Amino acid sequence: MVSALTLDEIRLAAGQLADHVVRTPVHRLQSPEVEQVLDATTETWLKLELFQRTGTFKARGALLNVLALSEDARKQGVTAVSAGNHAAAVAFAAATVGVSAKVVMFASANPLRVELCRSFGAEVVFAENAHAGFELAARLAEQEGRTLIHPFEGRTTALGTATVGLELCEQIPGLDAVIIPIGGGGLCAGIASAVKLLSPRCEVFGVEPEGADSMHRSFAAGEPRSIERVATIADSLGAPYALPISFALCHRNVDGLVRISDGEMRAAMRFLLRNAKLAVEPAGAAATAALLGPLKERLRGRRVGLIVCGSNIDAATYARLIGDEPL
């Protein structure tokens, strides 16, 4: 059975990370359009993890994992597999601690993310797809003795992401609800745990793309499940399966799950650009899309926190996604 995170553990993790990561700001989402679309009585706060080191929340869990390595493990170095954001976070964490990193990225990875990894000194190798990528990373771990840092699973990873929830509850006390994007569930596992410890009455909602809804299927089955294929523009939310630790922590602390379409994420990207002057990747707009769509009426008139989980996207891709043309 997966043990719950404790507030003492989360605060200890926050202390370990304090000198290396950003305590990201919060921003009240306000404009005439916001009041018209969401109702003036709905108070909306953005937790701006796109301003985190490496551009996403991933830096927190990756760094906490690398800091936990033994001296022998540090000498051997680390590896990771990712469409980009996790690989960049592991590269950053390795550079921070002074260990070697060789990361596996998919052939389709956004060029901006590839260069971000290399800027931290990581060696980048490519795999054709996610399946081949995980096989290659496992071989690197076995043949070179590197520690594989998983992109979303693990108690240490959840403690890292829980520091986002700790900060949010300290910055905006008395939230009625928090909406969290879900890929593999590592972000939601941590934030939901922290929120329920600090503000038990606050409702926690997870949001998944329609084309990557492994957590929905897992909740329905009562145990981790996989999906046949990933089909979403939100590549950083495209986990093909749920795993035991992140599933258990989400299942324990999340009050509800919703799905959003790619079109809703594109509309939310435009909404954030107009009303918050934020240029975010699709995953970074997912929580906003949920509030504008399936959770709009349920959370009307309430005080809501939205996790803007990151933004690593090149200008050309961003321009294409926020355009009105079909993809």
Side-chain angles (χ1 to χ4, degrees):
M1 183 176 178
V2 177
S3 59
L5 306 186
T6 70
L7 199 52
D8 285 345
E9 288 179 303
I10 297 169
R11 286 181 169 143
L12 178 61
Q16 292 175 298
L17 295 175
D19 291 338
H20 307 294
V21 302
V22 177
R23 182 180 172 89
T24 52
V26 293
H27 172 72
R28 175 78 183 273
L29 188 59
Q30 290 179 296
S31 75
E33 183 185 9
V34 170
E35 292 189 2
Q36 179 181 18
V37 172
L38 290 177
D39 191 293
T41 63
T42 304
E43 185 178 320
T44 307
W45 291 89
L46 307 177
K47 176 62 170 165
L48 299 174
E49 274 296 290
L50 78 165
F51 295 143
Q52 187 52 260
R53 300 293 302 274
T54 78
T56 76
F57 73 93
K58 292 280 190 180
R60 297 175 188 255
L63 183 55
L64 205 60
N65 274 287
V66 174
L67 287 170
L69 294 176
S70 68
E71 285 302 315
D72 286 344
R74 291 187 185 194
K75 291 175 184 177
Q76 298 296 105
V78 296
T79 187
V81 56
S82 162
N85 286 336
H86 175 64
V90 170
F92 154 74
T96 300
V97 178
V99 305
S100 165
K102 183 184 284 189
V103 298
V104 180
M105 301 184 74
F106 311 147
S108 60
N110 190 289
L112 182 146
R113 298 177 186 176
V114 175
E115 291 309 309
L116 184 59
C117 289
R118 289 174 172 155
S119 74
F120 289 114
E123 180 181 350
V124 179
V125 294
F126 292 96
E128 182 179 354
N129 52 43
H131 182 71
F134 275 97
E135 287 185 348
L136 177 54
R139 287 200 302 274
L140 290 174
E142 181 179 354
Q143 295 171 3
E144 301 184 12
R146 296 178 181 275
T147 298
L148 176 62
I149 309 295
H150 196 277
F152 59 85
E153 179 71 340
R155 207 166 182 281
T156 301
T157 298
L159 285 169
T161 59
T163 63
V164 181
L166 175 66
E167 290 176 12
L168 177 61
C169 290
E170 291 174 345
Q171 291 164 318
I172 311 295
L175 287 170
D176 297 309
V178 176
I179 306 175
I180 310 164
I182 294 180
L187 178 64
C188 190
I191 294 178
S193 296
V195 169
K196 288 300 186 181
L197 285 166
L198 290 158
S199 186
R201 294 182 180 180
C202 180
E203 288 190 289
V204 176
F205 297 95
V207 53
E208 290 184 296
E210 291 175 348
D213 63 348
S214 58
M215 196 62 73
H216 270 85
R217 300 188 190 197
S218 300
F219 271 39
E223 61 183 11
R225 285 284 192 262
S226 61
I227 56 178
E228 294 75 26
R229 71 185 189 97
V230 173
T232 177
I233 59 171
D235 55 351
S236 51
L237 298 182
Y241 48 74
L243 288 174
I245 295 174
S246 49
F247 164 75
L249 293 174
C250 287
H251 195 255
R252 180 180 291 133
N253 294 300
V254 172
D255 296 290
L257 297 174
V258 296
R259 297 181 184 90
I260 50 170
S261 68
D262 284 358
E264 286 174 311
M265 278 186 283
R266 294 177 71 192
M269 290 169 70
R270 293 189 287 266
F271 186 84
L272 287 172
L273 182 63
R274 290 193 304 271
N275 295 289
K277 310 309 175 191
L278 295 176
V280 302
E281 63 179 278
T288 303
L291 184 60
L292 293 172
L295 292 174
K296 180 178 176 180
E297 293 306 319
R298 179 164 180 172
L299 298 181
R300 183 182 295 276
R302 303 180 73 187
R303 200 174 198 206
V304 184
L306 307 179
I307 307 300
V308 184
C309 57
S311 186
N312 284 326
I313 188 169
D314 65 280
T317 303
Y318 179 76
R320 179 171 59 87
L321 290 175
I322 64 168
D324 294 326
E325 295 298 319
L327 297 179

